[in-house]
Amino acid sequence: LGFSSGCLYKTHDRIGREIFDIFKSPGCNAIELMFHDLADAPRIAEISKDELAGFEHVSLHAPKFDDLSEKELEETLDLIEAVHQRIGLDYVVIHPDTVSDWKIFSKYSFPIAVENMDNRKEAYKDVADMEKLFSQVDVKMILDVNHCFSNDPTMKLAYDFIEAFRDRIVGFHLSGFETFHDPLFKTQQQEILDAIFNKDLPIIIESGCESVEDVEREYEYIKSKIF
């Protein structure tokens, strides 16, 4: 259980020893490095194993590829590959709607996991779209339960995903939903928490937090409700 490194983006840098130590403090043993845009590239390039010591799971959330030029995309993928070779990423999370050609990944060794999309997107929000994708590319899946709720507040969609892709799901993205990524200690949406069907998989909290105290509160609340 741990956080996306972007959860405190309003007050702290997304990447750096300070943010890593903040998440280690309450006991997080997982982290997802938020590579939000090219501004994060220099710091992403410097990440060391030493900074990440104590995290049993380390993943990376890639930027939106359709925001990048062809040259920027190649440089970004080369950078992600270099990070993977240096620290050993468990997987790289990709928004499937931003990929126009999956062949671009053929020369890279980092493992890919795609996440289901939220209600603002046109595709990859339901089982049918994800099945079509998986018939074309053999990648893993991150079940984003917030995104499920945004599309279907009954959460039946989450269980449809679980039934269809249980063996493909390698982790979760978790947060509350009132406006978008809200802290669950505020929304207290147990129906979202209940969709975490396998507590042995990495659970990455994406809740937007206003302070370090909110991070600690969110971590303890979720830990008490899931474990």
Side-chain angles (χ1 to χ4, degrees):
L1 179 64
F3 285 86
S4 161
S5 69
C7 283
L8 277 170
Y9 76 95
K10 293 181 181 179
T11 57
H12 293 73
D13 290 338
R14 284 185 287 266
I15 303 295
R17 188 177 290 272
E18 180 184 12
I19 200 72
F20 301 156
D21 288 345
I22 286 171
F23 294 141
K24 288 176 188 178
S25 181
C28 295
N29 58 2
I31 191 168
E32 189 158 285
L33 306 172
M34 174 49 73
F35 189 172
H36 184 263
D37 53 38
L38 295 181
D40 293 328
R43 191 61 192 88
I44 290 284
E46 297 174 351
I47 291 172
S48 68
K49 279 190 173 182
D50 177 63
E51 288 179 289
L52 297 169
F55 293 118
E56 298 173 21
H57 164 84
V58 179
S59 53
L60 180 145
H61 196 305
K64 296 176 181 178
F65 294 137
D66 54 0
D67 287 342
L68 307 176
S69 68
E70 185 175 342
K71 182 175 183 293
E72 288 171 338
L73 176 56
E74 183 175 6
E75 291 174 348
T76 296
L77 294 175
D78 287 348
L79 174 54
I80 293 173
E81 178 68 17
V83 172
H84 174 58
Q85 292 296 327
R86 187 167 67 253
I87 67 177
L89 298 167
D90 289 291
Y91 49 73
V92 175
V93 182
I94 290 173
H95 285 186
D97 63 315
T98 71
V99 179
S100 58
D101 182 4
W102 289 91
K103 293 178 184 176
I104 61 173
F105 300 107
S106 61
K107 69 175 184 177
Y108 300 103
S109 68
F110 55 79
I112 295 171
V114 296
E115 63 176 307
N116 53 297
M117 295 287 90
D118 62 68
N119 63 351
R120 302 171 301 174
K121 303 299 179 69
E122 295 182 2
Y124 304 108
K125 300 186 292 185
D126 58 25
V127 170
D129 271 1
M130 298 300 278
E131 279 181 338
K132 189 182 300 183
L133 173 63
F134 294 141
S135 71
Q136 298 168 5
V137 292
D138 185 18
V139 293
K140 299 301 184 181
M141 178 177 174
I142 300 301
L143 182 63
D144 191 312
V145 291
N146 168 294
H147 291 175
C148 290
F149 185 90
S150 77
N151 286 296
D152 175 16
T154 73
M155 289 300 282
K156 180 180 182 300
L157 177 60
Y159 296 99
D160 288 344
F161 276 129
I162 293 166
E163 182 178 357
F165 307 123
R166 180 182 295 269
D167 294 337
R168 195 179 288 272
I169 294 170
V170 293
F172 303 95
H173 282 173
L174 176 64
S175 56
F177 186 91
E178 285 183 351
T179 56
F180 192 49
H181 285 302
D182 304 289
L184 278 156
F185 77 83
K186 292 183 178 179
T187 67
Q188 300 195 5
Q189 292 164 305
Q190 187 63 41
E191 63 270 37
I192 291 178
L193 290 157
D194 287 344
I196 306 296
F197 70 92
N198 186 342
K199 300 171 186 177
D200 293 326
L201 295 178
I203 303 166
I204 299 298
I205 303 165
E206 291 191 312
S207 309
C209 295
E210 300 291 333
S211 65
V212 174
E213 290 74 23
D214 276 0
V215 165
E216 295 170 349
R217 197 173 294 121
E218 182 75 339
Y219 177 78
E220 292 301 331
Y221 178 83
I222 290 172
K223 184 178 178 182
S224 69
K225 293 296 182 180
I226 291 180
F227 298 102

